[in-house]
Every structure is written in structure tokens, then in C-alpha cells.
Amino acid sequence: MTNPRWTTAVFDLDGTLADTIHLIVESYQHAFRTVLGREEDPTVIRSWIGRPLINAFRDHSPEHADELYATYLQWNADNTERLIRGYDGVREVLGDLRAAGVRVGVATSKRRESAQQAMDILGLSEHVEDLVAMEDTERHKPDPTPILLCLERLGRGSNDAVYVGDAVVDVLAGKAAGVDTLAVTWGAGTTEALYGVRPTVVAQDAAGLREALLG
């Protein structure tokens, strides 16, 4: 018997529903090696996850940003199916949410084509009612706009909704949107940093996620 805590759950994608951390880091490193002839500290790269790619490249290397972006996208698309992984039990949680009548959406800074590819490979698409991707908004996390747009498309308001993510920007965006926040510790963010921004609840694994969402 389930007793959903919220009637609407909006999820981040990378590091939350899809284990793309290794894929993302390797895509960045390939771009840096190809264009700049060197690699970047993986810890620094992980701190960028959750932001739009082009913004990270513009901050890092403004004069090479477009070339880095194009190189990243091509390598990422070519290697997604090989390197992407799911998190044990997370897809089943999405199915349980839908079965319990919870509205489920995804709000990500990932490009729509890449996000849809990842969701299709992992069997998530059937459980997600709406996808807000990078192209859908001018503002991105930690701005609340993507979350608010997803709620609008689902026909729901901020009351009785939760945003689930693995990064500090996810928690900050959820708070700015006026929804509760659920931080998961299996993605790009460090546990210490996530607790530091005071999410509503923290889940350590899929069982904890299910308990937090469905009771």
C-alpha cells in the first residue's frame, strides 16, 4: 500500500535518473583533449553537471567554446549507448509513482535530443509525462524556470510538488520554484554539499527514494 507524499514529482535527469556521470566526464575530456590538447580536473567537471553545456564551455574557454561544444556533442552522442547506465531500482520507482497516480516530469539542462535518447535507452520515457529540456527555457538551474514550466505543462502548481536532483543547483532551483526538494546522493553532488543547502529530504539509494516519495 502506497501513500504518496506529493502528488507531483519532477526529476533532474543526469546523475538522478540516468547514470551519465562517467559519460559526461569522458565527453568533456575528449573535447578538451581534441580542442585544447589537455584534460581538466574531473572534480571540476563534475561541479559543472546540471548546467547547460555551452555555458560551462563559455566560462571555461570563451574563445574555443563553440568548437568544444560541437566536439563534446558528437562524441557524447556516439558513446551514450555504450557508457550510459541506469541506477538500480530507480526506473521501478517511476513506475510505482505513476501507478499511485503521481504526475511525473523531468526538468533538465540537457539538450532535448540527448535527454530523450538517454530516457529511451534506459526505459524511462514510458513513465515520464513531460520533459523540459535545455531548449525550452532561456533561464536554467539554479533558476526555477524549467521546474515551473514542467509543472505548468503538467497542469500543477508548486503546492504538493517535489523536485528530485543530485546537485546543489537542483536543490536551489527547487527552493526557488517554491516546491519541496529531494536530494539523492548517488550522482555528481557531494553529500556534504547537498546537506549544506538543506533539501527537504535526502535519499541514499532507490529504496530511500521510494520511501520518501511513496511512504
Side-chain angles (χ1 to χ4, degrees):
M1 188 71 178
T2 59
N3 182 28
R5 182 169 176 180
W6 298 277
T7 62
T8 309
V10 180
F11 290 81
D12 169 56
L13 183 58
D14 289 319
T16 301
L17 297 179
D19 184 0
T20 52
I21 305 303
H22 178 63
L23 169 65
I24 290 170
V25 171
E26 289 305 305
S27 299
Y28 269 113
Q29 299 291 36
H30 172 79
F32 288 137
R33 285 194 303 268
T34 302
V35 178
L36 303 179
R38 59 175 173 78
E39 293 190 348
E40 181 55 85
D41 181 349
T43 303
V44 173
I45 292 174
R46 289 172 68 96
S47 74
W48 297 336
I49 295 175
R51 300 178 59 200
L53 286 169
I54 189 61
N55 293 354
F57 283 128
R58 285 171 179 161
D59 288 346
H60 184 274
S61 303
E63 66 278 18
H64 298 291
D66 290 343
E67 188 179 0
L68 286 164
Y69 184 57
T71 304
Y72 176 110
L73 292 179
Q74 185 62 58
W75 196 91
N76 184 273
D78 291 344
N79 290 275
T80 291
E81 192 159 1
R82 179 174 67 89
L83 294 179
I84 195 171
R85 299 287 185 273
Y87 292 112
D88 288 344
V90 169
R91 180 172 61 85
E92 289 76 11
V93 172
L94 294 187
D96 290 343
L97 286 170
R98 293 298 306 282
V102 177
R103 305 296 298 274
V104 175
V106 167
T108 176
S109 298
K110 204 176 188 71
R111 291 167 60 251
R112 175 168 294 277
E113 182 179 1
S114 299
Q116 194 64 60
Q117 179 190 21
M119 288 168 53
D120 289 346
I121 289 171
L122 297 177
L124 305 175
S125 299
E126 63 183 297
H127 302 304
V128 176
E129 296 177 73
D130 186 71
L131 167 64
V132 172
M134 185 270 290
E135 298 92 333
D136 293 321
T137 62
E138 292 185 3
R139 296 179 179 274
H140 305 283
K141 298 179 294 186
D143 189 274
T145 301
I147 299 171
L148 293 173
L149 177 59
C150 190
L151 291 173
E152 179 183 331
R153 288 179 175 176
L154 291 172
R156 298 297 179 95
S158 299
N159 292 335
D160 205 26
V162 63
Y163 187 58
V164 184
D166 67 304
V168 167
V169 293
D170 297 322
V171 177
L172 295 177
K175 286 175 176 283
V179 302
D180 285 336
T181 53
L182 199 168
V184 301
T185 61
W186 54 73
T190 67
T191 302
E192 181 180 8
L194 290 170
Y195 274 104
V197 288
R198 303 178 64 84
T200 308
V201 64
V202 177
Q204 309 284 346
D205 53 26
L209 179 65
R210 189 185 191 286
E211 176 67 23
L213 291 168
L214 289 163

